[in-house]
């Protein structure tokens, strides 16, 4: 299919630039057809002169239309976070879950009602916690693969969730402060 042979839709009233382009493309006096790249470049230039009713040009290959503003496909796969790195919420329930095979343990999780009104299940990392109902927590994305339906983690040491006590390695992940040097 040659783009040059494609007729203009009847409802479109092209402005001066597309009209010249259409005449140039359709002219039977042209001895050889225009290279595809030149046609696409000319169509792209003509797209700048489009009115609202001339959106058909943006559907042609090589001519870009307006980008859709879809935050969850661009920034973050986690729809509940709405493209934000973290969201705060209030704990509605603190409970435990058992993981999928082959793991076996009792994992601590909580249901959090986010500031947007959505309720999600969030994992509480580290050993021990001080979370109770109605505590404020900050959560971020991070799936626990052995827990079904848990796609978020609570951030330790922020808001009402305390840091892990006595943690010496990987302290930044658990909100633990640097231990004082012993003399």
């Amino acid at each position: 299919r040659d783009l040059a042979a494609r007729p203009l839709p009847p409802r479109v009233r092209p402005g001066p630039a597309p009209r010249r382009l259409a005449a140039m493309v359709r002219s039977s006096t042209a001895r050889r057809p225009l290279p595809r790249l030149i046609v696409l470049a000319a169509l792209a230039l003509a797209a700048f002169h489009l009115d609202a009713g001339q959106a058909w040009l943006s559907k042609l290959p090589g001519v870009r239309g307006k980008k859709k503003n879809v935050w969850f496909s661009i920034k973050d796969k986690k729809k509940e976070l709405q493209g934000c790195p973290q969201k705060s919420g209030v704990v509605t329930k603190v409970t435990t879950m058992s993981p999928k095979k082959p793991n076996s343990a009792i994992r601590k999780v909580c249901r959090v009602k986010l500031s947007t009104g959505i309720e999600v299940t969030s994992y509480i990392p580290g050993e021990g916690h001080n979370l109770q109902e109605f505590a404020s927590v900050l959560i971020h994305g991070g799936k626990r693969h052995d827990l079904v339906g848990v796609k978020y983690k609570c951030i330790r040491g922020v808001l009402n969730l305390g840091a892990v006590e006595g943690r010496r390695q990987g302290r930044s992940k658990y909100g633990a402060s640097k231990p004082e040097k012993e003399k």
Side-chain angles (χ1 to χ4, degrees), residues 5-27:
R6 183 178 286 189
L8 290 172
R11 67 181 187 281
V12 176
R13 292 186 196 88
R19 194 175 294 135
R20 264 184 269 126
L21 168 72
M24 185 176 73
V25 168
R26 279 205 220 116
S27 71

Side-chain angles (χ1 to χ4, degrees), residues 61-145:
V63 181
R64 276 200 154 155
K66 286 185 179 177
K67 290 184 180 176
K68 291 181 182 174
N69 185 16
V70 186
W71 49 260
F72 55 84
S73 68
I74 294 169
K75 203 159 183 192
D76 205 346
K77 290 184 208 167
K78 308 278 185 269
K79 282 191 245 180
E80 289 83 358
L81 293 182
Q82 298 181 347
C84 304
Q86 302 97 12
K87 279 275 183 201
S88 63
V90 178
V91 176
T92 56
K93 182 180 170 186
V94 180
T95 182
T96 58
M97 281 178 86
S98 52
K100 293 195 291 188
K101 284 183 178 179
N103 294 344
S104 68
I106 297 173
R107 309 260 192 244
K108 279 69 175 176
V109 295
C110 62
R111 290 287 289 169
V112 179
K113 185 164 186 168
L114 299 178
S115 55
T116 54
I118 304 166
E119 196 160 337
V120 296
T121 307
S122 178
Y123 176 67
I124 307 167
E127 294 179 8
H129 67 85
N130 63 335
L131 266 194
Q132 296 178 338
E133 208 174 329
F134 306 118
S136 328
V137 290
L138 195 66
I139 67 163
H140 65 86
K143 184 171 176 161
R144 281 299 302 203
H145 293 282

Side-chain angles (χ1 to χ4, degrees), residues 148-161:
V148 179
V150 178
K151 297 185 275 186
Y152 305 95
K153 291 178 185 172
C154 296
I155 301 175
R156 298 291 306 238
V158 179
L159 300 178
N160 292 354
L161 181 56

